Amino acid sequence: MAAEIHSRPQSSRPVLLSKIEGHQDAVTAALLIPKEDGVITASEDRTIRVWLKRDSGQYWPSIYHTMACKSQTFPLKGLVSDAFDDLISKCWAKNCCWISEEFHVSEDFNKMNFIKTYPAHQNRVSAILFSPAAEWVISTGHDKCVSWMCTRSGNMLGRHCLASWASCLQYDMDTQHAFVGDYSGQITLLKLEQNTCSVITTLKGHEGGIACLWWDPIQRLLFSGASDNSIIMWDIGGRKGRTLLLQGHHDRVQSLCYLQLTRQLVSCSSDGGIAVWNMDVSREEAPQWLESDSCQKCEQPFFWNIKQMWDTKTLGLRQHHCRKCGQAVCGKCSSKRSSYPVMGFEFQVRVCDSCYDSIKDEDRTSLATFHEGKHNISHMSMDIARGLMVTCGTDRVVKIWDMTPVVGCSLATGFSPH
């Protein structure tokens, strides 16, 4: 167990403040304790630990709790509520069987007492949230169910079944809307009532399972990250179905956090990549891909267009799509590649020749910054008020970062440190 302390340089990169080691297996979740130099972690070694920073600068566990489970169970993404008063009174953990457990953490962070068990699922619990206003525990799991239970009585209030394993969850306390991501790549929007719920809509756009969600209740924006390495912003409040696609990661997007004050989105992927997206710019929505039996540029037939191939005595071509205009084109008419950040394409992607000619050099200026976390990130969370971020991963290491050089201002005051 060690901590590496660095002074804050004037740079545009995240600054590694501390590194916590000591877990025996992958760390599945880590959360910074508000107003304290401390971190709560959950690991596949079946432990929940509270780490406090000592005078030496090192982090040492003040609480070391082992989950008492006979089968292969472990806490995943242990969650505490956003309010500090609730943080020191409740600590939620989940394991790979079917229970959620509530603990009481003492104000000096030296003791954690078990309160109650919530038997909400019949398979592994994948996400859990606590609503202080409703006094609900809302959870999802691999039993394809969303459940909500009363924290006072411990009784089940309602359950809704999905078509696929549920993977992540967000909740809007004002409207009682729950957003549930699943492994099929779909997001289901539910309206939860005391004993029932209704499906509002489903959001489809990812080509891989949803790995993380972030809900911004102020601008009413939903961000989703998936195993297709992409992020989608859904304009829920605008009710126009507008979506923005962001592609800049090389692997599964594992965690998201949107900063309202600076209009920036922070994302982390399993390859260790940390991206900070500028969302305070006018962006273009990616077009829907068009379908055609022949190239919409040169009109040569695609390989399934038997009639045109016979009539023209030509071999069919493979179909591609221009990422800028969405047209169906052949390889010859889309031989060039270009980035187009205003549409979210930070990598070079396939574009047709006419779109390539229309893209100016200034259009290729990146609208995101990319940084290396130098470990396999499975989970990230931020203390936005202090500009701190904690990452953890399969390498059993927890890292604490100063993100203020990247976001460019003091998040607590809104004023630039310069």
Side-chain angles (χ1 to χ4, degrees):
M1 293 173 287
E4 300 176 0
I5 309 301
H6 302 266
S7 61
R8 181 189 300 178
Q10 299 300 321
S11 69
S12 57
R13 294 180 298 174
V15 178
L16 179 62
L17 298 177
S18 302
K19 185 166 65 173
I20 302 173
E21 299 174 306
H23 290 91
Q24 302 304 310
D25 210 329
V27 184
T28 53
L31 184 72
L32 292 159
I33 302 174
K35 303 178 184 179
E36 294 285 338
D37 285 328
V39 180
I40 298 178
T41 62
S43 170
E44 292 188 10
D45 61 14
R46 299 190 296 124
T47 63
I48 300 174
R49 309 187 197 192
V50 178
W51 305 78
L52 296 181
K53 187 177 179 181
R54 306 304 183 185
D55 293 337
S56 63
Q58 294 182 326
Y59 282 81
W60 292 88
S62 63
I63 294 177
Y64 186 107
H65 176 80
T66 302
M67 300 290 284
C69 300
K70 294 181 180 179
S71 60
Q72 185 187 358
T73 59
F74 45 87
L76 286 174
K77 297 182 182 177
L79 179 134
V80 290
S81 66
D82 294 334
F84 179 67
D85 290 341
D86 290 317
L87 169 68
I88 62 176
S89 63
K90 291 185 175 68
C91 178
W92 301 91
K94 40 189 201 302
N95 59 45
C96 74
C97 278
W98 51 277
I99 61 173
S100 302
E101 296 186 355
E102 179 183 352
F103 297 89
H104 180 280
V105 181
S106 64
E107 293 189 18
D108 60 4
F109 298 102
N110 284 317
K111 191 175 182 181
M112 190 169 76
N113 295 320
F114 172 77
I115 302 299
K116 65 168 68 76
T117 295
Y118 297 88
H121 296 277
Q122 297 178 353
N123 206 319
R124 173 173 173 170
V125 179
S126 57
I128 183 169
L129 292 174
F130 170 52
S131 172
E135 295 185 305
W136 289 353
V137 174
I138 309 166
S139 58
T140 60
H142 289 184
D143 57 0
K144 304 180 182 180
C145 287
V146 182
S147 301
W148 55 107
M149 302 185 69
C150 176
T151 58
R152 285 180 284 106
S153 65
N155 294 331
M156 175 74 72
L157 297 175
R159 180 192 295 267
H160 176 79
C161 293
L162 305 168
S164 300
W165 283 3
S167 54
C168 48
L169 172 69
Q170 286 284 278
Y171 180 68
D172 182 70
M173 287 186 283
D174 291 336
T175 62
Q176 294 184 315
H177 286 163
F179 302 90
V180 186
D182 64 39
Y183 281 84
S184 73
Q186 179 174 289
I187 303 169
T188 304
L189 174 55
L190 301 172
K191 169 71 173 181
L192 303 185
E193 304 287 355
Q194 186 68 24
N195 297 111
T196 186
C197 76
S198 55
V199 178
I200 304 300
T201 189
T202 55
L203 305 175
K204 300 178 181 179
H206 284 288
E207 296 179 359
I210 309 296
C212 53
L213 293 171
W214 182 273
W215 169 244
D216 174 32
I218 304 301
Q219 298 185 58
R220 305 195 65 75
L221 300 174
L222 179 70
F223 296 90
S224 58
S227 60
D228 59 8
N229 309 347
S230 68
I231 301 166
I232 295 180
M233 187 201 82
W234 311 85
D235 185 4
I236 304 298
R239 299 184 182 278
K240 297 178 181 179
R242 182 170 182 261
T243 61
L244 293 177
L245 177 66
L246 304 175
Q247 292 188 335
H249 286 291
H250 296 279
D251 209 333
R252 176 188 177 99
V253 181
Q254 295 281 53
S255 289
L256 298 166
C257 180
Y258 180 65
L259 313 180
Q260 295 174 356
L261 182 63
T262 59
R263 302 291 194 271
Q264 290 170 299
L265 177 71
V266 181
S267 60
C268 294
S269 69
S270 57
D271 64 356
I274 301 172
V276 180
W277 305 83
N278 181 9
M279 303 305 295
D280 195 25
V281 294
S282 178
R283 289 181 176 269
E284 295 180 18
E285 188 172 356
Q288 294 291 323
W289 285 4
L290 303 177
E291 296 300 328
S292 176
D293 291 330
S294 58
C295 175
Q296 293 181 298
K297 296 296 182 181
C298 68
E299 298 184 353
Q300 289 295 305
F302 293 131
F303 63 83
W304 60 81
N305 190 347
I306 305 298
K307 183 179 185 306
Q308 188 176 348
M309 285 193 294
W310 177 265
D311 292 341
T312 59
K313 302 297 188 292
T314 58
L315 291 175
L317 304 175
R318 182 182 176 185
Q319 177 183 259
H320 301 282
H321 286 92
C322 172
R323 301 310 193 265
K324 187 175 184 295
C325 69
Q327 287 190 321
V329 291
C330 66
K332 184 179 180 180
C333 293
S334 58
S335 60
K336 297 183 174 63
R337 304 290 185 273
S338 175
S339 61
Y340 196 52
V342 73
M343 199 173 279
F345 300 117
E346 294 287 340
F347 298 147
Q348 289 197 346
V349 293
R350 180 185 296 273
V351 292
C352 65
D353 293 350
S354 58
C355 283
Y356 181 86
D357 294 337
S358 70
I359 299 175
K360 302 176 182 178
D361 288 342
E362 54 266 29
D363 295 334
R364 297 183 174 91
T365 302
S366 178
L367 296 177
T369 59
F370 299 93
H371 315 277
E372 179 54 58
K374 296 184 178 179
H375 71 149
N376 186 307
I377 299 175
S378 60
H379 182 257
M380 168 271 289
S381 65
M382 288 192 69
D383 183 335
I384 298 176
R386 292 185 288 175
L388 299 177
M389 180 177 74
V390 60
T391 60
C392 58
T394 55
D395 59 357
R396 300 175 290 178
V397 176
V398 177
K399 294 184 178 182
I400 302 173
W401 306 85
D402 178 5
M403 294 295 290
T404 54
V406 181
V407 299
C409 76
S410 170
L411 297 178
T413 63
F415 294 100
S416 170
H418 307 302

